[in-house]
Amino acid sequence: MSEIQTTNTTTSELAIQLGEGAEAAPVSTSRQRMNELAQQLASAVQRKHALVAKVDTMQRAKQAAQGDAAAARQQWSAKLRDADGNLTRDVQKLRANERSALSLAEEYQAMEDEIAAELPQLELELAELADCYFSTAEGVTSEAASQSYEQLLAQAGDSLAVAFSLFSKAENAGVHYRQSASTGELASTFFGRLGEAVRHRLNDCAVTDQVAQQLALPPMDMSAVDMELVRSPARRSQLRAQISTGSAV
């Protein structure tokens, strides 16, 4: 399981950049909430890693104890045969070692079960936090899109209107007014060409960098989150019910 890494982003870093050299806009409630959820997710992920590490430790300790028990059994079994069935001191000592190792293995198994019992609740917590995070991030994206659109109109609205007006005059130049294209037809052609030109630039580094800067989403690795659980409220409800009845595995 890969380690989840989360970059804590400060409030000032989350401020929306409306353009190079522009002042940062106030941080919205949605953006603040998104950052809080990212930090909560990071904390829950760390707790999950700690639990999983403890389970792994118990498993290794149990396997080591079982190995010790198996080795002790082989040794006393061989010595018992060498002694023609007599319970020598060495045989009795090795048998005691076997019992002790088996007892340890049982205790490690019990500890592993106790620790693992906490994982379903943590999985549910992670899934619900991730669901809230994704929903909040969608709101932040909508805010950024709206602000970017308003900025476009403020900065380039007049230029677009002038360009469209000149395009319209050029298209209808020398055409009888009854045969001239309507404003709607001209707009469809003009903005269709404009849209095509914009689409060609979507993957430009300058564009993708500005998109990432304006969204300012905390970089997160969700590999430790059960995404099927995130996407299924029904599964979360079922798991919640299992936890409440103590039947979650």
Side-chain angles (χ1 to χ4, degrees), residues 127 131 226-236:
D131 185 41
D226 185 343
M227 296 307 298
E228 291 298 323
L229 198 59
V230 174
R231 287 188 286 264
S232 175
R235 279 192 57 193
R236 294 203 301 273

Side-chain angles (χ1 to χ4, degrees), residues 66-110:
Q66 289 172 336
D68 290 342
R73 180 174 181 81
Q74 289 178 349
Q75 291 174 20
W76 72 252
S77 178
K79 286 183 177 294
L80 184 65
R81 283 168 173 74
D82 291 342
D84 295 328
N86 293 320
L87 291 176
T88 64
R89 181 176 297 177
D90 285 344
V91 170
Q92 292 176 341
K93 182 179 179 181
L94 287 168
R95 291 186 67 201
N97 289 345
E98 180 191 14
R99 290 192 297 271
S100 176
L102 288 174
S103 178
L104 270 177
E106 291 176 358
E107 190 61 29
Y108 285 133
Q109 180 64 61

